[in-house]
Amino acid sequence: ASKHGGLHLCVHVREGNNETGDWMVKSWRHINLHYTLNQTLKGMKDYVGAESATAEHNIKKTKKRSNSKNPSVSLFVASDNEHARTWFEQHVPHNWH
């Protein structure tokens, strides 16, 4: 969580590491991009949910109001794959940015 409010997440997906040569024929060195993206997003959603639950618990103890059930989430995406950022933009919850 940020002192400025909300959560800031960062994901770095390296599909090919800019490798050239025989890398393309070495399928055992390739990642399943869609599986990786889906599982990464699932993990981020789980983390945000856990952070929200913790914040809600702390709010009940201090009786302060907050938007803990719908936190502001910023997602930063770095990747050598030209489609990864667009994929995340299309699949993250609508209240993430």
Side-chain angles (χ1 to χ4, degrees):
S2 167
K3 68 179 180 177
H4 303 291
L7 294 171
H8 304 289
L9 304 176
C10 181
V11 59
H12 187 179
V13 180
R14 294 195 67 160
E15 182 182 23
N17 201 23
N18 295 321
E19 293 187 41
T20 59
D22 65 350
W23 174 78
M24 289 302 288
V25 297
K26 295 179 178 176
S27 60
W28 64 91
R29 295 184 68 194
H30 298 189
I31 65 167
N32 179 327
L33 182 62
H34 284 93
Y35 177 82
T36 300
L37 295 174
N38 280 306
Q39 291 303 305
T40 301
L41 181 57
K42 180 186 179 311
M44 289 189 299
K45 287 178 177 179
D46 290 348
Y47 177 77
V48 169
E51 284 293 306
S52 295
T54 299
E56 187 173 336
H57 173 74
N58 290 338
I59 289 164
K60 286 179 182 176
K61 286 172 56 176
T62 62
K63 300 188 191 281
K64 290 183 182 177
R65 295 190 60 173
S66 174
N67 193 18
S68 65
K69 289 188 180 203
N70 208 1
S72 172
V73 178
S74 297
L75 176 61
F76 303 91
V77 179
S79 181
D80 63 352
N81 179 285
E82 64 182 300
H83 304 291
R85 181 183 174 116
T86 303
W87 186 93
F88 277 104
E89 288 172 347
Q90 294 171 350
H91 291 87
V92 297
H94 70 279
N95 61 319
W96 293 21
H97 59 277

